[in-house]
Amino acid sequence: MIEYIKGTVDEITPTKAILEASGIGYALNISLNTYTAIQNKKEAKLYVYEVIREDAYLLFGFATRIERDLFELLLGVSGIGGQTARMVLSAFTPADLANIVQTEDVRSLKGVKGIGPKAAQRIIVDLKDKVASFIGTSGSTSASGEQSVSASSPLVEEAVQALTVLGFSPAPTQKVVMQIVKEAPDTPVEGIIKKALKML
């Protein structure tokens, strides 16, 4: 089992990071929290969760153990798979998610793609007694240095591409992203994606 991978950040998008360690490039699926934490770094250490199936071998990478622990807890909820768990951790920081579960905020959970009323209730029931220790933890690094965004900016294209990878249709995604950019042109790419996740 791989505990973590420490190496050079070869490539990074809001949904994937490639770390090179000992001459091997590891492709890891990441959340927005992890993207924010490592986006400007040349080297990074990501804690790993492996998903091994007959048709796939996937690696999920997390900037903190806290986020990985929450990911594992989410996977333990009936009906929640790796992509949905990553979507939840892209919409909320670990501390925010812990607070949402503790306060039984079904509405916020339902705002995440793939989470309906029943799934939201299952997450709350299954995790309420398990997330108390996560409240008050950061689990992520806030974005530093906002980047200017315009309608034709690569950041907009990156946001749309990331949301498409997460399962959203390109056309409505483009519309929502453009609306966000119009209202707040200085929003960094991870901010655009976080807002879009709650609007789509």
Side-chain angles (χ1 to χ4, degrees), residues 16-17 77 105 129 137 162:
K16 181 179 285 187
V77 177
D105 186 356
D129 294 334
T137 60

Side-chain angles (χ1 to χ4, degrees), residues 9-194:
V9 180
D10 189 53
E11 292 180 32
I12 186 169
T13 71
T15 56
K16 181 179 285 187
I18 298 178
L19 292 189
E20 182 178 339
S22 301
I24 300 173
Y26 296 91
L28 300 108
N29 295 291
I30 60 173
S31 71
L32 278 180
N33 289 315
T34 293
Y35 171 77
T36 300
I38 70 171
Q39 64 174 320
N40 296 316
K41 295 183 178 180
K42 293 182 179 179
E43 293 191 351
K45 175 181 179 180
L46 294 183
Y47 295 92
V48 175
Y49 184 88
E50 299 173 84
V51 175
I52 302 173
R53 303 195 305 254
E54 287 184 10
D55 60 340
Y57 174 42
L58 304 173
L59 299 176
F60 288 86
F62 306 93
T64 65
R65 280 198 181 98
I66 290 169
E67 192 178 17
R68 184 180 64 180
D69 290 347
L70 272 176
F71 181 81
E72 291 180 11
L73 288 176
L74 285 166
L75 290 184
V77 177
S78 176
I80 304 297
Q83 296 300 336
T84 302
R86 176 173 69 163
M87 191 88 71
V88 172
L89 290 171
S90 289
F92 311 110
T93 66
D96 287 342
L97 178 58
N99 281 314
I100 285 168
V101 171
Q102 285 281 297
T103 58
E104 301 185 16
D105 186 356
V106 173
R107 184 176 178 181
S108 290
L109 283 173
K110 280 176 16 184
V112 179
K113 180 179 171 64
I115 303 292
K118 290 183 179 179
Q121 288 286 0
R122 282 198 301 269
I123 290 172
I124 289 168
V125 170
D126 288 3
L127 303 190
K128 191 166 184 181
D129 294 334
K130 302 174 181 176
V131 299
S133 62
F134 296 103
I135 293 177
T137 60
S138 61
S140 66
T141 304
S142 60
S144 58
E146 292 193 345
Q147 304 165 57
S148 180
V149 181
S150 67
S152 59
S153 168
L155 291 176
V156 174
E157 295 176 10
E158 191 173 12
V160 173
Q161 182 180 9
L163 288 160
T164 302
V165 169
L166 290 172
F168 294 95
S169 300
T173 297
Q174 178 79 26
K175 185 176 179 181
V176 168
V177 168
M178 294 309 299
Q179 180 184 336
I180 293 168
V181 171
K182 184 177 179 181
E183 293 174 356
D186 293 329
T187 306
V189 65
E190 61 269 26
I192 295 171
I193 297 169
K194 277 183 177 290

